Amino acid sequence: MTMAPVDPSAPYDRDNIFAKILRGELPCTKVYEDEHALAFEDIHPQAPVHVLVVPKGEYVSWDDFSAKASADEIAGYMRAVGKVARELGLVESGYRMIANIGPDSGQLVPHLHVHLCGGTNLGRMIPA
Ligand code: DGP
């Protein structure tokens, strides 16, 4: 599926892919779920472990989330990201968290998500 870069000024689109996954309208390979977050395998993995962690609320980006989410949502989501990394066994070997926000980042899905990547040496943070 071809997707356009996310427009950060656009309102939340309830038909985005991750919204549909959260509602159970599209399948995913679920890794973790709690009150605040859902984690599932990325459909195009770029590392041996590549999991997406999304908040359950309707937030387009980190900017949106950090400005509008409640303290409970923010704490719950942050804890969930850490818990997923722990449960995936990534803490000792290390891992990378990536959150693409807006056009320059290449964000394609307009629902906030953190990529958790690991399982190998990931090299430079931003390839030259
Ligand atoms: P980003 O550029 O940060 O918005 O990355 C979006 C990621 O979402 C990308 O790595 C591929 C993944 N993705 C896109 N569509 C689906 C889907 O339908 N299911 C799953 N599991 N992942 C998807």
Side-chain angles (χ1 to χ4, degrees), residues 22 33-38 54-59 73 77 111:
L22 279 164
E33 183 169 18
D34 67 17
E35 181 190 349
H36 294 289
L38 175 69
V54 307
K56 288 203 167 169
E58 297 181 347
Y59 302 104
E73 287 177 293
Y77 181 55
H111 182 111

Side-chain angles (χ1 to χ4, degrees), residues 42-53:
D42 193 291
I43 205 166
H44 299 306
Q46 294 184 44
V49 179
H50 187 168
V51 165
L52 301 168
V53 190

Side-chain angles (χ1 to χ4, degrees), residues 1 3 6 17-18 21 26-29 40-44 46 50 52 98-100 105-110 113 115:
M1 171 189 261
M3 287 183 274
V6 167
I17 288 170
F18 295 169
I21 288 175
L26 284 177
C28 72
T29 303
F40 51 91
E41 289 180 4
D42 193 291
I43 205 166
H44 299 306
Q46 294 184 44
H50 187 168
L52 301 168
I98 301 166
N100 292 318
S105 74
Q107 181 184 4
L108 292 174
V109 180
H113 50 285
H115 299 250

Side-chain angles (χ1 to χ4, degrees), residues 82-120:
K83 190 168 184 188
V84 171
R86 221 172 288 127
E87 289 187 355
L88 289 169
L90 295 174
V91 172
E92 204 165 311
S93 55
Y95 58 96
R96 183 167 294 150
M97 291 166 51
I98 301 166
N100 292 318
I101 312 297
D104 276 355
S105 74
Q107 181 184 4
L108 292 174
V109 180
H111 182 111
L112 174 62
H113 50 285
V114 164
H115 299 250
L116 276 181
C117 298
T120 190

